[in-house]
Amino acid sequence: MRLHLLLLLALCGTGTTAAALSYSLRGNWSICNGNGSLELPGAVPGCVHSALFQQGLIQDSYYRFNDLNYRWISLDNWTYSKEFKIPFEISKWQKVNLILEGVDTISKILFNEVTIGETDNMFNRYSFDITNVVRDVNSIELRFQSAVLYAAQQSKAHTRYPVPPDCPPLVQKGECHVNFVRKEQCSFSWDWGPSFPTQGIWKDVRIEAYNICHLNDFTFSPIYDKSAQAWNLEIEATFDVVSSKPVCGQVIVAIPKLQTQQMYNLELQPGKRIVELFLNISKNITVETWWPHGHGNQTGYNMTILFELDGGLNIEKSAKVYFRTVELIEEPIKGSPGLSFYFKINGFPIFLKGSNWIPADSFQDRVTSELLRLLLQSVVDANMNTLRVWGGGIYEQDEFYELCDELGIMVWQDFMFACALYPTDQGFLDSVRAEVAYQIKRLKSHPSIIIWSGNNENEEALMMNWYHISITDRPIYIKDYVTLYVKNIRELVLAGDKSRPFITSSPTNGAETVAEGWVSQNPNSNYFGDVHFYDYISDCWNWKVFPRARFASEYGYQSWPSFSTLEKVSSTEDWSFSSKFSLHRQHHEGGNKQMLYQAGLHFKLPESTDPLRTFKDTIYLTQVMQAQCVKTETEFYRRSRSEIVDQQGHTMGALYWQLNDIWQAPSWASLADHELLSPTNYHFLSSLKEAVGLCKAQITAIISQQGDIFVFDLETSAVAPFVWLDVGSIPGRFSDNGFLMTEKTRTILFYPWEPTSKSELEQSFHVTSLTDIY
C-alpha cells in the first residue's frame, strides 16, 4: 500500500518537537449502494458517478439521455468505506483529528464503528476529534443520504409556510427543493445544465496528530493606512492548544524583499485560541501593488511566519502576499439621478470587462489543474480582466483563485445562493454561518477577489414576485431575506474581512437598496448598482434596446455548441434541430425558437434538402448570431462608460453570461470543449440576408508547425463572412475565429491544449463560412 505521509511542520534545533503529522486518506476506497447490491472501488477525491463510470458500470453521464437514465444514482444512499493503518505511533500524540475538506453532502461518519459526527454542507470543512477512538489499524465509513431525498424531507418539515420555488421548470428536467440543502445549487439542474446531484468525498480527507498546540488556520489581509501613507498587514492565526498549561514563545514575521521583519511575544492559553498580529511596513519602502490584467503587474512578496514555542515546538508557514486596495464607489453623478457603481483598484477607476464563471464540470474530480489554467489563460488572452463566480455553483478550489491572482483576473465572488428563497430555521442558519466563516477565512488573502455578493438574483426574485407570493405574505419573506443575507452573512463578512466591499445581491441597487431597508422596489434599476438584462425578442443589432446601466453584470444569448462537440454524446437519429435529443438538451423554455428568430432577423435560415447539412448549418448560424449579439451589446456598454444620455450611462462594467459550459448542450457560453470565440470588429451596411453579390467562398488551408504552435495559412476565393475553423475533438484555441475574411489570405494560429500532430489536425480540420449556406 502506498503511504501518503507528510511531515507538515519543521523540526528545528536541539530538543525540538515534531509539531504535527498528517496522513492523507486519498486514493482507493470501497463504495456500495443502499441495499448492498452494488459494491465497487472508488477514488477519493471523487464521486459515485465517476466511480461507476471508471468501473464500466455506466456510460458517459453526458451521453444522450443519461442525465435521466442515471437519476437512480442520486436517489440511492451510498456508503464510502476504507480500512487503513496509520504509519506512525498513535499513542505518542495528545490530539488526533479527522479532517474532511469537502463532503458532498449529507453523511453520517463512523470511525472504528463509532459515530463521530455528521455533515450537511458541501461548502464547509469538517474536523472531528478521534483521539479516543483511533487505533493503529482503523476503519472509516461515510454513510451518505441522497441529497434529493434529504432536501424533500427538509422542505416537508418546514410546515409554517412554503419556501419557493418547490421545483425547477419542467423543461430543465431537474430535482426539487434544492434551496433546502447546502449543495451546489445547479447540480439539481439549470436552464443550461443537467441534473446530477452527486454524492462523495470531493476534497481531501486526512488524519492530523499533534502535541502541545496546533496551527489550524492562518490568514492575512493587507491594509493601506491613508493617513500614514503606509501598508500594514493584519495576520490571524487560529490555534488548538492541547497542553494543560499555557504555551509561551515568540513569533517572527518576515518579508525579505520589503526589508521587513518583526518579532512578537505570545502566550497561548489552553483551548481554541486566536492570535492577531499587526505587521507595519515602513513607508520608506516601495511596495509594488497588485494590478488587474492590462493595468500593471501582479507583484507578490514571499512571507514567512515562524512560531517558536515552549518545548522546542517550531511551526513555520509561508505565503505570497499581494498588496492592493479596492473601493466600490457609489456617489452622485452630474447630469443623472441615482449613484455611480464602479470599482477603484489602488485608487484608480477600472472598467470591469469579462464574463460569468460556472462550475467547469458536473463532477468536480474531473476539473484538473491543467483545465483551470487553460480556461483562465483564455480569459486573459481574450483581454478580459474579470470573472464573476456565480452563486449557483461552488466556491472554487484554491488553485482557481491562485491562478486569478497570478494572471490578474479580478473575481466578483457570490456566496452560493441563487434564484430561490431560503429557509431561516436555526439549523439551516448554523450551517450557513459555518460555511461563510470558513470560506471568508479561506479566500480573503486573495487580491483577485474584489467583492463579496450575498446571492444571485434573490432580491429581484423577491421584489419582482417571481414566485407569486401574495402581498400580505411578502413581509415574512423579506424578514427571512434580511435575516439570511444581512444579519448573518453580512455580519460575518464585516467581522472577518474589512479589505473589500459587500453587497447583498446581484442585481442590486447597492447603497439605495440599503437605504430602502435591504430590499429595493426595483433592484434592476439603471440608476443604481448592477443589472441583469436578457432580451431575446428585440433585434440585438439595435444597440438602443440595451439598458444604459451603471454596471451590467449579466447579459447574453444562447447558441448551440459545434457539431463536433455534440457528435461525441449523440447518435445519428439525434442530428436534427427538432429531434428528441435536441429538445431534451434545450433546458431554456422556448430557447430553440428564440435562437432561430434572432438569427432570422439578419441571416437566411438554412434550407438544404440534406437534414444533416441543415442541422450543421443551423448550429453554425446560432453561433454567429450569439457572437454578433454579445459583441454588439458589449461594445454598447463599453461606449456608455464615458457618456450620459437621457440621464443614463456611466457604465463601468460588462460581464456577459457566460464564459464556460458544463455539458454539450445549448447555452450562453463562449467557451465549450475549450474553444475560444473572439470575433474581430466589423460593420455591416445591411443585414447579411439582404446582401447582394455574395459568392460561395472556397477556403483552403495549409497547416505548418512552429514548435508547439500550428500555423493555418488560409486562402479564399471570395469574401467570406463569419469564417469558422473547427478541428473536431482536438482541444485547443485559435488566435481568432468567427472572423470576416475580406482579404485573399489570412494566417491564424492554433494553440493545442494536448499533444497533437499536423496530420491529426489535417484530418480533423473543417472550415465553414456564411457563403456555405447561402
Side-chain angles (χ1 to χ4, degrees), residues 35 40 46 131 144 194 223 232 285 310 320 334 432 518 670 681 701 754:
N35 64 13
L40 63 149
T131 308
F144 286 92
I223 305 294
N232 304 302
I285 301 295
D310 289 346
K320 180 155 281 191
K334 185 178 179 180
V432 168
W518 300 106
S670 63
N681 213 354
E754 293 177 0

Side-chain angles (χ1 to χ4, degrees), residues 71-239:
R71 185 170 178 256
W72 60 271
I73 301 172
S74 300
L75 297 178
D76 208 338
N77 299 322
W78 298 83
T79 295
Y80 274 65
S81 61
K82 185 180 183 72
E83 293 186 356
F84 62 96
K85 182 178 181 181
I86 294 182
F88 50 84
E89 194 171 340
I90 204 70
S91 61
K92 292 185 176 180
W93 300 92
Q94 291 175 276
K95 183 75 172 282
V96 185
N97 288 334
L98 173 68
I99 309 294
L100 296 140
E101 294 288 346
V103 178
D104 181 12
T105 296
I106 311 301
S107 78
K108 178 185 289 187
I109 303 168
L110 284 77
F111 199 91
N112 291 331
E113 301 181 351
V114 176
T115 300
I116 59 169
E118 297 179 345
T119 70
D120 66 356
N121 192 318
M122 178 181 182
F123 308 123
N124 201 4
R125 180 180 66 187
Y126 291 89
S127 177
F128 299 104
D129 185 350
I130 58 172
T131 308
N132 296 325
V133 296
V134 68
R135 302 190 290 261
D136 291 335
V137 178
N138 302 274
S139 66
I140 182 173
E141 281 188 1
L142 271 72
R143 297 179 181 173
F144 286 92
Q145 180 183 358
S146 163
V148 176
L149 300 181
Y150 172 86
Q153 292 169 4
Q154 296 300 111
S155 175
K156 186 177 181 180
H158 195 280
T159 56
R160 290 173 294 157
Y161 51 88
V163 183
D166 286 339
C167 302
L170 291 176
V171 70
Q172 293 182 18
K173 307 165 188 70
E175 303 291 358
C176 300
H177 309 299
V178 68
N179 49 341
F180 276 87
V181 60
R182 291 310 300 142
K183 180 177 175 59
E184 178 183 17
Q185 299 289 274
C186 67
S187 71
F188 275 45
S189 81
W190 219 263
D191 60 359
W192 41 256
S195 176
F196 283 115
T198 49
Q199 296 178 41
I201 305 171
W202 73 293
K203 291 189 176 182
D204 190 31
V205 53
R206 64 186 185 275
I207 305 293
E208 281 188 352
Y210 50 90
N211 293 321
I212 305 174
C213 73
H214 182 247
L215 179 62
N216 287 340
D217 290 297
F218 169 73
T219 190
F220 52 87
S221 295
I223 305 294
Y224 185 70
D225 186 334
K226 290 185 178 179
S227 60
Q229 295 186 330
W231 285 96
N232 304 302
L233 199 64
E234 293 182 352
I235 301 171
E236 181 179 290
T238 305
F239 285 91

Side-chain angles (χ1 to χ4, degrees), residues 60-64 196 361-362 366 569 585 662-664:
D60 179 358
S61 294
Y62 290 159
Y63 183 70
R64 299 195 76 208
F196 283 115
D361 203 294
S362 295
R366 305 201 307 203
V569 293
R585 289 280 161 143
I662 206 165
W663 72 331
Q664 305 90 337

Side-chain angles (χ1 to χ4, degrees), residues 454-506:
N455 65 71
N456 172 77
E457 299 185 345
N458 293 347
E459 181 185 351
E460 183 179 22
L462 177 59
M463 300 310 291
M464 296 296 102
N465 205 12
W466 290 5
Y467 309 121
H468 310 293
I469 296 169
S470 70
I471 195 69
T472 56
D473 289 337
R474 183 180 288 183
I476 297 172
Y477 297 96
I478 291 177
K479 181 181 178 182
D480 279 357
Y481 182 93
V482 173
T483 295
L484 179 57
Y485 301 111
V486 180
K487 295 182 179 178
N488 281 276
I489 294 177
R490 178 177 179 270
E491 174 188 291
L492 289 165
V493 172
L494 295 181
D497 182 14
K498 301 178 180 65
S499 68
R500 52 181 61 86
F502 170 82
I503 56 175
T504 49
S505 186
S506 175

Side-chain angles (χ1 to χ4, degrees), residues 163-400:
V163 183
D166 286 339
C167 302
L170 291 176
V171 70
Q172 293 182 18
K173 307 165 188 70
E175 303 291 358
C176 300
H177 309 299
V178 68
N179 49 341
F180 276 87
V181 60
R182 291 310 300 142
K183 180 177 175 59
E184 178 183 17
Q185 299 289 274
C186 67
S187 71
F188 275 45
S189 81
W190 219 263
D191 60 359
W192 41 256
S195 176
F196 283 115
T198 49
Q199 296 178 41
I201 305 171
W202 73 293
K203 291 189 176 182
D204 190 31
V205 53
R206 64 186 185 275
I207 305 293
E208 281 188 352
Y210 50 90
N211 293 321
I212 305 174
C213 73
H214 182 247
L215 179 62
N216 287 340
D217 290 297
F218 169 73
T219 190
F220 52 87
S221 295
I223 305 294
Y224 185 70
D225 186 334
K226 290 185 178 179
S227 60
Q229 295 186 330
W231 285 96
N232 304 302
L233 199 64
E234 293 182 352
I235 301 171
E236 181 179 290
T238 305
F239 285 91
D240 180 17
V241 182
V242 295
S243 170
S244 59
K245 57 184 180 179
V247 178
C248 300
Q250 61 184 18
V251 189
I252 302 169
V253 182
I255 307 178
K257 284 196 174 181
L258 294 180
Q259 304 171 39
T260 299
Q261 180 170 308
Q262 284 182 230
M263 181 181 295
Y264 313 79
N265 294 321
L266 79 160
E267 180 178 301
L268 299 172
Q269 297 294 327
K272 298 288 193 299
R273 295 291 174 251
I274 297 176
V275 173
E276 295 179 340
L277 306 174
F278 199 73
L279 180 69
N280 298 297
I281 297 170
S282 171
K283 64 180 180 180
N284 297 321
I285 301 295
T286 300
V287 176
E288 294 187 30
T289 49
W290 180 94
W291 287 95
H293 170 63
H295 291 272
N297 297 325
Q298 292 76 51
T299 304
Y301 297 90
N302 293 324
M303 175 180 69
T304 60
I305 179 166
L306 174 63
F307 295 87
E308 296 179 334
L309 305 174
D310 289 346
L313 179 61
N314 292 290
I315 303 174
E316 185 172 6
K317 294 287 287 184
S318 61
K320 180 155 281 191
V321 181
Y322 299 88
F323 295 86
R324 69 98 183 90
T325 62
V326 56
E327 302 168 88
L328 176 57
I329 308 300
E330 298 180 87
E331 61 188 11
I333 300 173
K334 185 178 179 180
S336 177
L339 300 172
S340 65
F341 190 90
Y342 70 94
F343 292 86
K344 282 186 177 179
I345 304 297
N346 302 323
F348 186 80
I350 302 286
F351 185 93
L352 272 59
K353 50 183 182 178
S355 191
N356 285 258
W357 174 274
I358 66 169
D361 203 294
S362 295
F363 313 108
Q364 281 298 307
D365 53 296
R366 305 201 307 203
V367 181
T368 63
S369 301
E370 293 75 20
L371 175 59
L372 286 177
R373 179 170 286 278
L374 290 169
L375 290 173
L376 294 176
Q377 185 62 52
S378 294
V379 169
V380 170
D381 292 343
N383 204 31
M384 301 181 195
N385 64 19
T386 307
L387 288 176
R388 173 174 172 247
V389 177
W390 169 73
I394 63 169
Y395 307 94
E396 281 294 334
Q397 56 184 276
D398 292 342
E399 190 161 5
F400 173 90

